[in-house]
Amino acid sequence: MASILKVDTITGVTTAGSIAVTGEGNSTTTNLQQGLAKVWIKYNGTGTIAITDSFNVASITDETTGTTTVTFTGAMGNANYSIKGQNSDGSLHLQVIDTNQTTSAYRQRTLDGSAQLADDNAVYGDTHGDLA
């Protein structure tokens, strides 16, 4: 019989901010907090850029053609977090994340098939790492 668990807060017993989840096969565990996206965004990068939807994003700044800075609402614990970017306008575009990311922002660039900066109408990004 299936069960339903309804709670507002989950807290670890040994460490309040650490919850272990047993993985497939019941042989390994994963830390729940490490597996969650800390920031994600979808935005329109053409014309007047605008956030379509997001989590933990304070703002975006149109730096120049194909270059946008994403600023977080809540800072990351350090600048060594992982970022993934993508687009979906049907063109052959490549997402490049600058290596000068900070604890409060990162710069995302979109390149076209000729490796030139290009605006894109549907740009995505998600960030994994430790929050401050």
Side-chain angles (χ1 to χ4, degrees):
M1 179 170 151
S3 299
I4 297 174
L5 176 64
K6 295 182 179 183
V7 298
D8 292 325
T9 304
I10 298 175
T11 303
V13 174
T14 306
T15 305
S18 181
I19 306 293
V21 177
T22 302
E24 300 84 352
N26 298 322
S27 61
T28 60
T29 59
T30 300
N31 183 290
L32 178 64
Q33 289 79 355
Q34 287 296 310
L36 300 174
K38 304 309 189 302
V39 177
W40 60 261
I41 186 169
K42 176 184 178 187
Y43 65 93
N44 180 344
T46 60
T48 302
I49 66 170
I51 296 171
T52 306
D53 202 359
S54 68
F55 173 73
N56 196 24
V57 174
S59 64
I60 56 176
T61 304
D62 189 358
E63 303 292 344
T64 188
T65 300
T67 304
T68 303
T69 296
V70 178
T71 302
F72 309 143
T73 302
M76 300 298 288
N78 58 58
N80 298 318
Y81 50 87
S82 170
I83 309 162
K84 178 184 69 78
Q86 66 186 46
N87 74 300
S88 68
D89 79 344
S91 301
L92 177 60
H93 287 177
L94 173 69
Q95 297 297 314
V96 178
I97 308 299
D98 282 1
T99 56
N100 63 345
Q101 64 202 41
T102 68
T103 58
S104 60
Y106 69 88
R107 185 175 300 137
Q108 188 165 352
R109 296 178 184 225
T110 302
L111 304 176
D112 64 17
S114 300
Q116 300 299 309
L117 288 168
D119 287 337
D120 205 318
N121 65 5
V123 184
Y124 306 83
D126 64 283
T127 304
H128 293 263
D130 297 325
L131 289 174

